[in-house]
Each structure stands twice: as C-alpha cells, then as structure tokens.
Amino acid sequence: MTSVAETSLRRTRFLLGCGTVAGLLFPVLSFGQAFTRSGFDLRRHAISSLTLGDLGWLQVVAFVGTGVLAVAFALGLWQALRPGRAGTVVPVLVGVYGVAMVGGGIFVPDPALGWPPGAPAGLPEQASTGSVLHTVCGAAAFLSLIAAGLLLARRFAAQGDRNWALYSATSGAVAFVLTALPWSEGSASIRFAVGAVLISGWLVALSWRTRDEVARPTVEAILVLERV
C-alpha cells in the first residue's frame, strides 16, 4: 500500500472514530450532571436545561463538542459508505445532526419549572427566540439520526446483515416513538433522555462498524502479500 493510501486510510479511520467520542460525550456529560447538580430532577427537567445555571457551560460543551465531532464523523462516513443512496444521504444526515447539536448549545431553553434554582415554578408565558431555536435544533438532531438509522437498516438488509438491519431499524423506530409521537407532557424529559441514549449508542456502534469495514481490505491485502 502506498504512503498516500495509508495516509488517507488513517485520516478516514480518525474521522470515523470521532463518532465514538461524539456518541459517548453527550450522555456522559449530561447524565453526570443530571445526577449531581443540586435541584435538577430528570423527571421534570429536560436534559437540555442543564445549559442553564452556574455550570451550564458544561452542557454547552456537551452540545457543541458532540456536534463538531459528529460533523467530523459525517466526513468519515462520506468516504467510507459511498457509493449508493444511503452512502450519500446518511453522511449528510449525520452532518445535519452535528450542526443541530452545535445550535442546541448556542441557543438555550428558558428557565422554567424551578430550574435553575430561583427560576419560576411554572413555564414561561411566551418562549424566547433562543428557546424556540433550541427546540428546532433538538428536533432536527433527533429526526436526522432517526432517518439515518432507517436508511442504513435498508442498506444492511440488502447486504444480508439482518442483525445490523434490525438494530438500526429498531433504534430509529423506538427513538421516533419516544420523541415524535404525542405523549403526555409530564413524561417528555424522561422520554427524550432515553431517546438521546438510543441514538448516541447507535452512533457509537456505527462508528465501530465502519472503522472495522474500512480496515478490513487493508488487513486482507497484508495477508495476500504475506503469502506471496
């Protein structure tokens, strides 16, 4: 293998590895705060409201850092998955997820339901522009990865990989049911938290799979050379 090809392979694997970090960063920082910040109750307060308060910058880092890493992962997927419809559309959808997560860190929700400490006990009468944009970014982030999972499920099924097809389809379908269908408002924070864990886990798994697929031809080439 030429040095140019080796460099390209290392770059692609590095970008694909960013998906693993992106998938771990958000839930680790989010739940680490959810269970340690005084006054925060995951049964009432949305994960995204952790962007508020004295330590809100930590959740902003979770959003923006995850978004930047997801965009890098999308570039790696662009190199690894093409050709094919899913190989083109899925990287774009993952890129949309990344941009939306960055937006979710820039625009934050309004103080409400007693969070952060000292905030009004109820909901604001009218949402601020920043809060509305945060909601839009959150919806875009969820829907883009849900769509990516369903598209890849079709690709995996065509390749004969039923386990991965089922995993991708199930993750996308369950995340959609939890976050997009009408439920009682009181369960929203828990449902979206579970949905975030599902799509983050899928992101990590996809990162590992694609890195392995990219490396496989290289290993096979080395084995052929050793036989010569």
Side-chain angles (χ1 to χ4, degrees):
M1 179 178 292
T2 66
S3 59
V4 174
E6 290 174 348
T7 300
S8 177
L9 176 63
R10 283 196 295 268
R11 185 188 307 117
T12 300
R13 284 176 57 80
F14 172 79
L15 292 172
L16 292 173
C18 289
T20 298
V21 185
L24 293 173
L25 179 64
F26 189 77
V28 168
L29 279 181
S30 297
F31 288 100
Q33 294 181 82
F35 295 118
T36 57
R37 290 181 66 177
S38 178
F40 186 86
D41 186 350
L42 189 58
R43 295 168 297 181
R44 300 179 64 240
H45 305 133
I47 285 288
S48 58
S49 63
L50 287 167
T51 52
L52 306 172
D54 294 339
L55 295 177
W57 63 272
L58 282 172
Q59 193 64 14
V60 172
V61 168
F63 272 104
V64 175
T66 298
V68 171
L69 288 164
V71 170
F73 181 43
L75 294 175
L77 289 174
W78 183 267
Q79 298 172 18
L81 294 181
R82 290 184 301 163
R85 180 183 301 177
T88 301
V89 178
V90 168
V92 173
L93 289 171
V94 174
V96 170
Y97 166 78
V99 173
M101 290 296 283
V102 171
I106 295 173
F107 305 108
V108 299
D110 295 324
L113 302 174
W115 179 263
L123 297 171
E125 293 184 3
Q126 184 173 357
S128 66
T129 300
S131 182
V132 172
L133 290 174
H134 179 87
T135 300
V136 170
C137 288
F142 271 104
L143 291 176
S144 59
L145 277 201
I146 289 170
L150 296 177
L151 274 174
L152 276 183
R154 182 178 179 182
R155 176 187 175 111
F156 293 140
Q159 294 173 342
D161 193 337
R162 295 182 179 179
N163 290 335
W164 258 93
L166 180 62
Y167 171 54
S168 289
T170 302
S171 295
V174 173
F176 180 81
V177 169
L178 288 173
T179 61
L181 296 186
W183 292 70
S184 65
E185 191 64 30
S187 66
S189 58
I190 294 293
R191 288 188 287 105
F192 276 83
V194 174
V197 170
L198 279 175
I199 63 173
S200 294
W202 179 81
L203 208 63
V204 172
L206 180 62
S207 170
W208 277 88
R209 178 190 169 98
T210 49
R211 287 184 82 246
D212 181 63
E213 286 185 345
V214 166
R216 197 174 301 150
T218 304
V219 174
E220 292 173 354
I222 292 172
L223 293 174
V224 169
L225 289 174
E226 288 177 345
R227 296 192 193 104
V228 175

